[in-house]
Amino acid sequence: MKDAVETPPDRTLARIPEVGSAPIGSDAERYLSELWESPPGWRGWLSTVDHKEIGLRYLVTSFIFLLIGGVEALIMRVQLAGPDRHLLTPEQYNQLFTMHGITMIFLYALPVLSGFSNYLWPLMLGSRDMAFPRLNALSYWLFLFAGLFLYASFPLGEGANAGWFNYVPLSGPEYNTGPNIDVYALGMVLLGISTTVGAVNFIVTLFRMRAPGMSIDKVPILVWGTLTASVANLFAVPSVSLAFFLLWLDRQNGTHFFDPLNGGKPMLWQHLFWMFGHPWVYVIVLPAMGIVSDALPTFCRRPLVGYAAVALSTMATMLLGFGVWIHHMFATGLPALAISFFGATSLAISIPSAVAVFAWIATIWLGRPVFQTPFLFFAGFVLLFVIGGLSGVMTAAVPLDLQLNDTYFVVAHLHYVLLGINVFPVIGGVYYWFPKFCGRMMNETWGKWSFWVLFIGFNLGFFPMHVAGLLGMPRRIYTYAPNMGWNTVNLITSIGSFVFAAGVLIFLANIAVSLKRGALAPQNPWDAPTLEWAVPSPPPPYNFAVIPLIASRHPLWEDRLDAAEGRSNLQTGYLLMDGRETLGTTALDAVPDVILKMPDDTYAPFFLALFSSLGFAGLLLDWNRFTFLMTAAAGLSLVAWMWPRQKLVQRVPGVSRVTEAGRG
């Protein structure tokens, strides 16, 4: 009798791939294109696992959330433009500034960077897709449904209303009796699942999917930034997910984790939240810094100064970022020793950040800058980074923080860090990679106009907030008396916010016009050095017809730099055409290790995310039977996802038949 153990191994995993070339228009290239192309219409839209499509969806969805959050901010600035204004009631203002914070921090800042990384990573690494394409699709669908979930109650006047930090006991059942906080709590748990599965995908992709020869010291800084953020997410997100889950149990199941009247610990909420919250700041900053580190050298016509130092400082920043969460809690009465330690760490974190700043300045100084639109955004980012960093160091000093705590100075710092350091690299990155995304160039004149309007509006809007804070204006107030001395700074801030919004509109108009009328983009319009510019614009469905062989960090500048490592081979490489395949390499040296079978398009991630989200809705509405039904449907989706497929070599031909015969 023969069983599965005795079955000979599948030769498709052990074969040595053919080395050759597949020029555009050749039979091999057309075959690959048909193999990797998603079906047209709604079927392809719901089932695609193509990282480029998913990356663009992340970008578009997060920009829509950015616009929603921006409109919320403008309404608040109209309210605060003068004293004693009553456009909004206190409750409406509470919900508006809470949803503004949730939207900008959770639904825009990280997802937009995930969009860049999802689109660019396989192209930068020389792969045909991410390591787990279906997990990638699941991550996006969960993000979309979590965003809709978080906003579901807002139009009904029941949106989250205790601030994005959601402090207890204000957000507990005693002081917040509506469904507002329950929506926020369950929505954040759902969003946390999306973030976690996305992080796992990025980590495995880096260590298994690089092109042969692309050793770990040759990957772009954007990859380092996203990798560091992904590792941090695996440690930080469980903390905040646990906090929100415990709060939901307090509110709906009578537990008392945060209830001081019954032995609960309100401080536990702050610890769990900020153990996530402060590393999260670096999670949404480090990939943005990576965008600048990779794209800025293109316009300086030289490699980044201090690549190794910048890569190490990226990791050091994230590591220290886990040791600074208590600087959000200096005013809570913690022991002096703890405050001293976390204050010192908060000051020390400026050192690796400064390494990156000096590297960018040196790159500009030693290069031959070309003042095109992306360069303007990246150079502007460096200035905003310095201003945001300096105000952060100021609040790391405990005596000064006690004075500035809960004032508009902190709001100014927050916006320079989260908006300035994130939005400017993101918009610069859109201008830079738009030709790769869409195959067309954006209008350069409009681009420069959008930069200057955004830059002036940003500083006009947010710098006066420092002054308002120094004048003692507290955060989270919906109006103020006319004799407080805050009228002028608030009026200037409101004007600046509308100028900034005008800059965003110019940027969006440029995108809309360029999509239809922009000049056709060549393969490498910026004369950039990295691998994504070695494929057509936009890239074909399979990315690389042959898996390239990489010899240096700048494969497209090797002749110019006269690289001593040798020359990369981008035209001849591994031909992998037995179904959807790509090459797996070793973790550090990127030596070819295994042929990876990649999955076809599937509806399973969409339905798993949909039924999971509906299950959370059932929990919110206390519909037990509906929740059970959705859980069962999600389980069936998971079974369909995991069902062994012969094309993926998860089922060896003949094994089941032989085994069944043996049993029979």
Side-chain angles (χ1 to χ4, degrees), residues 185-263:
L186 291 174
M188 283 299 293
V189 174
L190 190 60
L191 187 62
I193 299 172
S194 165
T195 307
T196 302
V197 299
V200 169
N201 201 10
F202 282 124
I203 294 169
V204 178
T205 297
L206 171 67
F207 288 112
R208 289 297 276 166
M209 308 293 282
R210 303 194 309 278
M214 185 180 283
S215 53
I216 199 72
D217 60 341
K218 294 187 178 74
V219 300
I221 295 292
L222 172 61
V223 176
W224 281 113
T226 309
L227 170 71
T228 310
S230 299
V231 173
N233 274 333
L234 293 185
F235 291 96
V237 171
S239 172
V240 76
S241 297
L242 175 64
F244 276 103
F245 180 66
L246 296 181
L247 178 61
W248 181 74
L249 289 178
D250 272 10
R251 293 178 57 84
Q252 297 298 324
N253 293 277
T255 57
H256 303 287
F257 291 104
F258 304 118
D259 178 11
L261 297 178
N262 291 282

Side-chain angles (χ1 to χ4, degrees), residues 253-277:
N253 293 277
T255 57
H256 303 287
F257 291 104
F258 304 118
D259 178 11
L261 297 178
N262 291 282
K265 304 291 184 185
M267 287 291 286
L268 175 63
W269 172 269
Q270 292 206 31
H271 282 293
L272 288 174
F273 187 84
W274 291 117
M275 284 170 69
F276 151 83

Side-chain angles (χ1 to χ4, degrees), residues 60 119 158 164 240 400 455 459 568:
V60 171
Y119 192 98
E158 301 288 351
W164 70 278
V240 76
L400 189 57
F455 191 74
N459 287 289
S568 302

Side-chain angles (χ1 to χ4, degrees), residues 39-120:
W42 65 269
R43 290 181 299 123
W45 200 81
L46 292 179
S47 65
T48 184
V49 295
D50 184 345
H51 72 96
K52 299 182 289 297
E53 186 67 29
I54 293 169
L56 290 177
R57 289 181 186 180
Y58 261 112
L59 288 172
V60 171
T61 308
S62 55
F63 264 102
I64 291 173
F65 280 121
L66 173 70
L67 294 178
I68 294 172
V71 170
E72 292 163 352
L74 291 178
I75 296 173
M76 287 190 288
R77 287 318 312 175
V78 171
Q79 169 86 356
L80 295 173
D84 282 337
R85 297 179 70 89
H86 297 282
L87 174 68
L88 300 168
T89 65
E91 175 59 19
Q92 287 172 334
Y93 188 88
N94 283 343
Q95 292 190 29
L96 209 59
F97 89 74
T98 301
M99 292 307 297
H100 169 71
I102 292 171
T103 304
M104 292 302 199
I105 294 170
F106 299 123
L107 302 179
Y108 159 73
L110 180 65
V112 76
L113 297 173
S114 296
F116 277 105
S117 296
N118 264 304
Y119 192 98
L120 294 171

Side-chain angles (χ1 to χ4, degrees), residues 417-631:
V417 171
L418 295 184
L419 197 60
I421 300 178
N422 183 288
V423 169
F424 276 76
V426 162
I427 294 182
V430 170
Y431 275 107
Y432 181 61
W433 280 296
F434 187 85
K436 191 57 62 183
F437 295 158
C438 305
R440 292 183 181 275
M441 303 297 292
M442 290 184 72
N443 185 284
E444 185 67 12
T445 304
W446 286 34
K448 288 178 178 174
W449 269 102
S450 68
F451 166 75
W452 286 112
V453 174
L454 280 168
F455 191 74
I456 293 170
F458 180 88
N459 287 289
L460 192 65
F462 296 111
F463 197 83
M465 286 184 177
H466 293 99
V467 180
L470 293 173
L471 292 173
M473 182 173 175
R475 306 167 65 178
R476 308 162 200 148
I477 57 171
Y478 89 108
T479 190
Y480 51 90
N483 58 350
M484 301 300 291
W486 306 332
N487 302 4
T488 304
V489 290
N490 273 292
L491 181 60
I492 295 172
T493 294
S494 294
I495 293 172
S497 64
F498 277 88
V499 174
F500 186 78
V504 173
L505 288 179
I506 296 172
F507 166 67
L508 294 176
N510 195 359
I511 287 181
V513 173
S514 301
L515 276 173
K516 289 194 173 182
R517 301 179 184 174
L520 292 177
Q523 183 170 297
N524 187 3
W526 308 113
D527 188 21
T530 42
L531 202 52
E532 75 272 22
W533 299 104
V535 298
S537 304
Y542 50 81
N543 288 356
F544 297 92
V546 298
I547 304 300
L549 308 173
I550 303 302
S552 75
R553 200 178 295 148
H554 308 97
L556 304 188
W557 279 4
E558 287 169 353
D559 290 336
R560 181 183 311 172
L561 299 175
D562 195 19
E565 301 97 328
R567 295 292 183 271
S568 302
N569 196 337
L570 309 182
Q571 305 304 324
T572 303
Y574 290 109
L575 279 168
L576 296 167
M577 304 179 65
D578 188 9
R580 289 191 178 189
E581 293 178 331
T582 191
L583 197 64
T585 52
T586 55
L588 297 180
D589 296 328
V591 175
D593 185 37
V594 65
I595 297 171
L596 298 171
K597 295 287 186 180
M598 307 303 286
D600 292 328
D601 294 346
T602 171
Y603 297 104
F606 169 76
F607 283 112
L608 179 57
L610 176 65
F611 292 133
S612 300
S613 304
L614 290 175
F616 273 70
L619 284 175
L620 176 69
L621 299 170
D622 203 19
W623 294 350
N624 294 332
R625 291 184 179 178
F626 180 79
T627 304
F628 176 78
L629 188 63
M630 291 301 104
T631 304

